Amino acid sequence: MQMSKKEYNEYVAGLAPKSPCLKNLAWAFCMGGIICTIGQLLLAGFDALGLEKDLAATAASASLIFLSALLTALSVYDDIAKHAGAGTLVPITGFANAVVSPAMEFRTEGFVTGMAAKMFVIAGPVIVYGTVASVLYGIVYYLATQL
């Protein structure tokens, strides 16, 4: 049976299950909001303990990273992500999950060749391109302010 690309794409589109877009969007929005609310509660809590604003923000960020890494190690974060989707990709928690997930997956291969070597498989490119983008931004900013 010969099919053109267009016919094949129409055939595949007809067989593919329809995505509940609005439901997924609502879950992502709610879960992202819950994560941000937890972060805000942590910030308020550290602030109430008497920490300076900058130190309270650092403590709240570190707490979110720790909780995300812990929940990933316990396989809870992935279960949450199955339902919440992109809502779990709030930058700080999503990045911690991206670092811990490969490390946990390859832990049976040992600390060096498994966990340490694979830890930045997903997060590594983010670090590289983020660093390159910040350097380029810095150069553009420097040139713009010198003119």
Side-chain angles (χ1 to χ4, degrees):
M1 178 164 112
Q2 286 290 77
M3 288 183 157
S4 69
K5 277 189 173 184
K6 182 180 178 186
E7 291 171 330
Y8 177 76
N9 288 336
E10 289 172 0
Y11 174 73
V12 170
L15 294 176
K18 303 299 179 215
S19 175
C21 187
L22 289 177
K23 177 185 161 196
N24 292 345
L25 194 71
W27 269 108
F29 179 80
C30 289
M31 185 50 70
I34 288 169
I35 292 171
C36 290
T37 301
I38 291 169
Q40 192 64 41
L41 289 171
L42 287 168
L43 178 63
F46 287 122
D47 193 36
L49 290 175
L51 274 77
E52 296 176 17
K53 278 281 188 209
D54 290 345
L55 193 54
T58 302
S61 296
S63 297
L64 283 173
I65 291 168
F66 172 77
L67 289 172
S68 170
L70 178 66
L71 292 176
T72 299
L74 297 174
S75 297
V76 173
Y77 201 88
D78 293 337
D79 293 337
I80 295 169
K82 285 178 189 173
H83 299 291
T88 58
L89 296 179
V90 173
I92 199 163
T93 56
F95 189 77
N97 175 261
V99 171
V100 175
S101 288
M104 296 306 297
E105 185 177 342
F106 292 97
R107 71 181 178 266
T108 57
E109 295 180 24
F111 285 116
V112 175
T113 59
M115 290 176 70
K118 302 294 184 179
M119 188 178 293
F120 293 103
V121 167
I122 296 171
V126 174
I127 294 169
V128 169
Y129 288 111
T131 303
V132 170
S134 66
V135 168
L136 292 175
Y137 176 77
I139 292 169
V140 169
Y141 179 78
Y142 175 77
L143 292 174
T145 58
Q146 297 302 312
L147 298 177

